[in-house]
Amino acid sequence: MPQLYLIRHGIAADRSPQTYPDDSQRPLTDAGVKKTRKIAKRLAELNLQFDYLLTSPLVRAQQTAEILVNAKLSPKPEISAALAPAGELQDWLNWYNATPKTGKNGEVAIAVVGHQPDLGHWAEQLIWGESRGQLIVKKAGVIGVELPDDGDIIGQSQLFWLVPPRLLL
Amino acid sequence: MPQLYLIRHGIAADRSPQTYPDDSQRPLTDAGVKKTRKIAKRLAELNLQFDYLLTSPLVRAQQTAEILVNAKLSPKPEISAALAPAGELQDWLNWYNATPKTGKNGEVAIAVVGHQPDLGHWAEQLIWGESRGQLIVKKAGVIGVELPDDGDIIGQSQLFWLVPPRLLL
């Protein structure tokens, strides 16, 4: 069955209207880069391989996606406005429905890099059909959702991972 | 906030009406013991410390609980019929409501060792208010749920871990 990994961006610089008047430009901190690299290395050691990688256009998400690519987890990312804060799951679903469901290892594996609370909400919609904010997802944490082969995936998917970064270091 | 870890027993001998006419007597396999010990060691390295440990009365669960105790994760387990297959969450809730909410590290941390699909169903009831069987929990896998300090915990808790054994080895 198709596997979807929802990955929250790594630790970024603090919000600051002075330094980053445009919040979308906030980068990962040096510590955030290092930690995210370690996590990407661990995911690669676990033989994860993403056939597709979509990322939020925000700098901290794109940097996180780049780290995943550098760890050979994935081909180059596609930037997707659906993954920006408050993006629409429906826009991602339109992409998903148009995407071939075969991958390198048979089943397609897709990773998306984005933000909270959206990633948790998306996962809840896939698993239970609605969002209630009941998933705790830390920065550089990973949610794994198994999507059904056929039919509607909303409310029909299963959660197989909710993994905080400390378990991947 | 109180933390509840729902831990599935390790890999056990295959069901066999010949060898184990009473299924509750099925033990962990040697490989199951080894793997569960490694996982317990990792949980201890992560500084987990359970103030209470409840276990299903079935042999495979009691053996799993003993491994957690030997890894110094917890005091001795209490055997709880609520954790036997098809046990009632309400019975556990009665125990929980009567239990002090302070622990060694401030917040109380509780572990329960039991079976699927019950553990996944309990977690779903706590976080979601109903069970739909949407959590994939492997043998020796761990679900982590944060319970609210006050009020009803059903449908009001948050999921912070759904961790398969491979991430703890």
Side-chain angles (χ1 to χ4, degrees):
Chain A
M1 283 187 283
Q3 313 248 304
L4 173 63
Y5 293 85
L6 303 107
I7 303 172
R8 189 175 175 197
H9 65 79
I11 296 167
D14 289 337
R15 280 175 203 279
S16 157
Q18 282 73 45
T19 321
Y20 303 107
D22 176 356
D23 182 72
S24 73
Q25 298 302 308
R26 264 196 304 132
L28 300 185
T29 61
D30 288 348
V33 168
K34 268 189 204 162
K35 203 168 162 183
T36 308
R37 277 189 191 142
K38 278 189 196 169
I39 289 167
K41 188 165 172 259
R42 181 81 203 283
L43 294 177
E45 284 164 4
L46 289 163
N47 292 320
L48 263 61
Q49 186 66 50
F50 308 131
D51 299 295
Y52 301 93
L53 173 62
L54 270 64
T55 178
S56 147
L58 274 57
V59 165
R60 55 194 183 274
Q62 286 203 49
Q63 286 180 308
T64 302
E66 201 178 306
I67 289 170
L68 299 177
V69 172
N70 289 341
K72 307 206 185 308
L73 279 161
S74 150
K76 291 212 165 184
E78 275 176 57
I79 293 171
S80 165
L83 285 155
E88 290 291 337
L89 176 58
Q90 187 57 53
D91 291 338
W92 178 81
L93 282 174
N94 294 342
W95 173 89
Y96 177 74
N97 289 332
T99 297
K101 301 298 180 291
T102 46
K104 254 192 182 176
N105 300 332
E107 312 285 10
V108 73
I110 297 164
V112 299
V113 178
H115 307 269
Q116 270 297 81
D118 307 274
L119 294 181
H121 287 169
W122 285 23
E124 286 182 300
Q125 286 194 49
L126 292 170
I127 302 162
W128 287 296
E130 54 177 313
S131 316
R132 296 205 203 144
Q134 304 297 77
L135 304 186
I136 298 176
V137 188
K138 307 241 177 191
K139 291 190 182 85
V142 183
I143 311 171
V145 178
E146 197 165 84
L147 310 174
D149 279 318
D150 301 304
D152 195 3
I153 63 173
I154 297 288
Q156 305 296 328
S157 303
Q158 288 193 300
L159 186 69
F160 65 89
W161 271 24
L162 177 59
V163 180
R166 66 194 289 237
L167 290 186
L168 294 169
L169 291 173
Chain B
M1 283 186 283
Q3 314 247 303
L4 173 64
Y5 292 85
L6 303 108
I7 303 174
R8 190 176 175 196
H9 66 79
I11 296 167
D14 288 338
R15 279 175 204 280
S16 157
Q18 282 73 44
T19 320
Y20 303 107
D22 176 356
D23 183 72
S24 73
Q25 298 302 309
R26 263 195 306 132
L28 299 185
T29 62
D30 289 349
V33 168
K34 268 189 203 161
K35 203 169 161 182
T36 308
R37 275 188 192 143
K38 278 189 196 169
I39 288 167
K41 187 165 172 257
R42 181 80 203 284
L43 294 177
E45 284 165 4
L46 289 163
N47 292 322
L48 262 62
Q49 186 67 51
F50 307 132
D51 299 295
Y52 301 93
L53 173 62
L54 269 65
T55 178
S56 148
L58 274 59
V59 165
R60 55 194 184 274
Q62 286 204 49
Q63 286 181 310
T64 302
E66 200 179 305
I67 290 170
L68 300 176
V69 172
N70 289 341
K72 306 202 186 310
L73 279 161
S74 150
K76 291 213 166 184
E78 275 176 57
I79 292 172
S80 165
L83 284 156
E88 290 292 336
L89 177 57
Q90 186 56 53
D91 291 337
W92 178 80
L93 283 174
N94 294 343
W95 172 89
Y96 177 75
N97 289 332
T99 297
K101 301 298 180 292
T102 46
K104 252 191 181 176
N105 300 331
E107 312 286 10
V108 72
I110 297 163
V112 299
V113 178
H115 306 269
Q116 271 298 80
D118 307 273
L119 294 181
H121 287 169
W122 285 23
E124 283 183 301
Q125 285 194 49
L126 291 170
I127 58 185
W128 205 254
E130 56 178 312
S131 315
R132 296 206 203 145
Q134 304 296 75
L135 303 186
I136 297 175
V137 188
K138 307 240 177 193
K139 293 191 181 82
V142 183
I143 311 171
V145 178
E146 197 165 85
L147 310 174
D149 280 317
D150 301 303
D152 195 4
I153 65 174
I154 297 287
Q156 305 296 327
S157 304
Q158 287 192 300
L159 186 69
F160 66 89
W161 271 25
L162 177 60
V163 180
R166 67 193 290 236
L167 291 187
L168 294 169
L169 292 173

